[in-house]
Amino acid sequence: MIVVLDSDAQVAGGRLATHTVATAFRTDTGKQVWGPVEVPGPIQGLGLIFADTPKAIVSVDAASRVMLNASDGSVVADESTTGDVQIDYESNGVGLIRIDGELQAMDTRTSLTLWNSTSLPRPDGTDSTWSAGVDETVETSRGDVVFLRWTAPDGEWVTAAHNARTGNFLGSIPGGLIPATVESPSRNRIVEASMPAPATTILTALDPDEGILWAKNVSGTVTLESASDNKLYLRNGAQGVALTLDSGDELARGDFAVPRAVLADGTAILPTGNQSKYLLARPTPKDRQ
């Protein structure tokens, strides 16, 4: 599903938006799923979270956010209606909110609580005095895997991966996250990069049910690009690199075009050097093996 926003803003006339609506469409058929529904402004944060934007260059007013139900577009949480709710994250019909500082997961379709940070399985070395919050590194949590930062009263912290729907602990991630998560098209597996020390990058592959599949230390400058259901593609310095998604074993390295994205049927979207043109490469039966 893809959500498209429309507003009455006029770029040519310098008119700011006073009315914004969201409409959801199926990505496979283009059929409208729900909407248009009115939202306070553009997307804020992760998932179906929207907020009004300040109308002045300098503003001290915090914008109240709303979170929508992915199935019908209805509002399931609204920060403006109560002062003790903070909306943090939404993905695949799971919303993470904080109520009086406690992190809670809710099913946005039913509004039922799935888990809370008090009863959540914790990473090693933490105890009941540590608080949990969604790691704010952009574009890291993805699909059914959410990264939480557990923080001690003295400020010490550790990043852990959890299943967003069940809360199950999937594993600890060394160092700070790098905003570069990639997700396989249909297997719901992700690969995240983290930096435990300068010039040191660790790639971690995760499955929302199985946990950490593998972790690999890669030297040099690393940029995650895309993943198919079987392979991970990245750039390591000036070279392209392909790894197996199941084990992290290296399959290829060299001067080749790294896919910017891979579709569920294996079709790769490749750069051409022209920012407005891309090449579509369809897989052969041999490629699917």
Side-chain angles (χ1 to χ4, degrees), residues 56-205:
I57 297 176
V58 178
S59 175
V60 295
D61 296 328
S64 294
R65 293 172 289 185
V66 301
M67 181 167 60
L68 302 187
N69 179 338
S71 62
D72 61 14
S74 61
V75 174
V76 292
D78 186 342
E79 292 180 344
S80 67
T81 60
T82 175
D84 60 355
V85 172
Q86 178 175 328
I87 299 170
D88 287 343
Y89 178 77
E90 188 281 330
S91 179
N92 291 346
V94 176
L96 300 188
I97 62 176
R98 275 183 281 176
I99 300 179
D100 290 331
E102 180 188 68
L103 186 68
Q104 296 186 13
M106 64 182 296
D107 186 322
T108 64
R109 293 171 176 82
T110 63
S111 295
L112 293 176
T113 299
L114 300 172
W115 51 262
N116 60 63
S117 56
T118 302
S119 59
L120 200 63
R122 298 170 176 272
D124 292 341
T126 66
D127 57 37
S128 60
T129 65
W130 292 53
S131 61
V134 178
D135 189 286
E136 295 183 354
T137 308
V138 296
E139 299 181 359
T140 50
S141 295
R142 191 74 61 87
D144 288 333
V145 178
V146 62
F147 294 101
L148 301 183
R149 176 172 288 197
W150 291 85
T151 306
D154 64 0
E156 181 184 356
W157 58 269
V158 61
T159 302
H162 292 258
N163 183 302
R165 181 162 291 276
T166 66
N168 288 342
F169 171 68
L170 303 177
S172 296
I173 308 299
L177 301 181
I178 299 173
T181 300
V182 298
E183 182 180 7
S184 62
S186 59
R187 294 177 66 186
N188 203 16
R189 290 179 169 179
I190 73 168
V191 180
E192 168 56 23
S194 61
M195 186 174 291
T200 302
T201 301
I202 294 180
L203 304 180
T204 305

